[in-house]
Amino acid sequence: NAGVTQTPKFQVLKTGQSMTLQCAQDMNHEYMSWYRQDPGMGLRLIHYSVGAGITDQGEVPNGYNVSRSTTEDFPLRLLSAAPSQTSVYFCASSEMGQGYEQYFGPGTRLTVT
Amino acid sequence: DQQVKQNSPSLSVQEGRISILNCDYTNSMFDYFLWYKKYPAEGPTFLISISSIKDKNEDGRFTVFLNKSAKHLSLHIVPSQPGDSAVYFCAASAQIRETSGSRLTFGEGTQLTVNP
């Protein structure tokens, strides 16, 4: 059982470049989300999705786009990378509703120079 | 506006003693609370949770206490073990509508170190 997978594990970008962080889950979860983790700031929600075709903004959505064409996949796009987007990114999934554990992927460490 | 706060960035305890990690929240709509544990280079993993209708939930060595009037929760680990050394995140959610219960707001995290 793969759970939540993320690729790549590490990425270095130059300012202005674009890229897509991939996230996939094999648990048929409706809810998926992206977080960024920065020192002293915990995990902050970027975007989330409550099902295929439905996405919404979290706390820090600026500079990021998402789409959800299938239940399994929830990619995060950086259209024009900035040094402020240097962070560790985590994807998570869960069943819909309160009381369900969120399963996290192993993370992608992104550096923007 | 940090709605969930963990004021202690780090905590160091001796093996076998109690570890107490604290968390405060400001949003009175939060009605479900969770603790996650994170090892370096891994994603967070769920540890324990509590609903606002309870004031205590226990799972083995881990107990979470909720004080709604003070908007405060704490995680107790007894006895602490070196393998418990990790970053612990407090998180909260509010079931305002059908789809909002899954959305979590996290605290900054507390690095727990358990010394042998």
Side-chain angles (χ1 to χ4, degrees):
Chain A
N1 189 349
V4 179
T5 58
Q6 290 183 239
T7 56
K9 286 193 184 308
F10 301 95
Q11 183 71 50
V12 179
L13 289 178
K14 293 189 187 309
T15 297
Q17 286 184 318
S18 63
M19 80 158 296
T20 299
L21 280 63
Q22 302 291 345
C23 174
Q25 52 94 6
D26 62 0
M27 297 171 280
N28 203 34
H29 287 162
E30 291 181 76
Y31 185 84
M32 295 187 75
S33 54
W34 277 101
Y35 295 88
R36 58 179 289 175
Q37 184 193 4
D38 301 292
M41 304 192 76
L43 293 158
R44 292 183 292 168
L45 183 65
I46 304 171
H47 285 285
Y48 64 98
S49 168
V50 298
I54 307 169
T55 63
D56 205 348
Q57 297 180 349
E59 303 170 58
V60 288
N62 292 342
Y64 308 95
N65 279 354
V66 291
S67 60
R68 183 100 179 266
S69 56
T70 67
T71 299
E72 295 78 21
D73 300 299
F74 190 44
L76 178 72
R77 296 184 186 84
L78 284 71
L79 298 179
S80 178
S84 61
Q85 294 178 303
T86 293
S87 187
V88 181
Y89 292 85
F90 291 101
C91 178
S93 75
S94 71
E95 295 188 47
M96 188 67 69
Q98 238 176 22
Y100 293 104
E101 172 185 350
Q102 288 201 16
Y103 294 84
F104 283 80
T108 295
R109 182 174 292 276
L110 175 68
T111 302
V112 183
T113 60
Chain B
D1 174 26
Q2 189 74 19
Q3 297 185 64
V4 178
K5 282 199 69 63
Q6 295 175 253
N7 289 314
S8 299
S10 63
L11 174 67
S12 182
V13 300
Q14 286 299 120
E15 181 177 5
R17 305 295 291 269
I18 185 171
S19 294
I20 300 177
L21 295 94
N22 294 303
C23 178
D24 297 294
Y25 62 96
T26 58
N27 188 340
S28 58
M29 299 300 292
F30 287 146
D31 56 0
Y32 197 79
F33 305 88
L34 309 91
W35 286 92
Y36 280 79
K37 175 176 167 179
K38 184 184 178 306
Y39 292 117
E42 295 183 9
T45 55
F46 170 75
L47 190 57
I48 192 169
S49 63
I50 188 167
S51 165
S52 61
I53 63 173
K54 295 185 176 182
D55 54 18
K56 175 182 173 181
N57 188 27
E58 194 170 351
D59 183 2
R61 296 185 297 113
F62 303 91
T63 303
V64 56
F65 295 92
L66 175 63
N67 182 334
K68 289 189 291 292
S69 61
K71 294 191 175 69
H72 177 83
L73 62 156
S74 60
L75 173 68
H76 293 210
I77 306 174
V78 183
S80 301
Q81 300 173 353
D84 296 329
S85 297
V87 177
Y88 289 79
F89 290 102
C90 170
S93 74
Q95 187 78 57
I96 300 168
R97 56 183 188 276
E98 184 182 353
T99 57
S100 68
S102 301
R103 177 173 172 166
L104 299 180
T105 300
F106 282 84
E108 303 94 326
T110 297
Q111 171 70 57
L112 172 66
T113 303
V114 180
N115 301 301

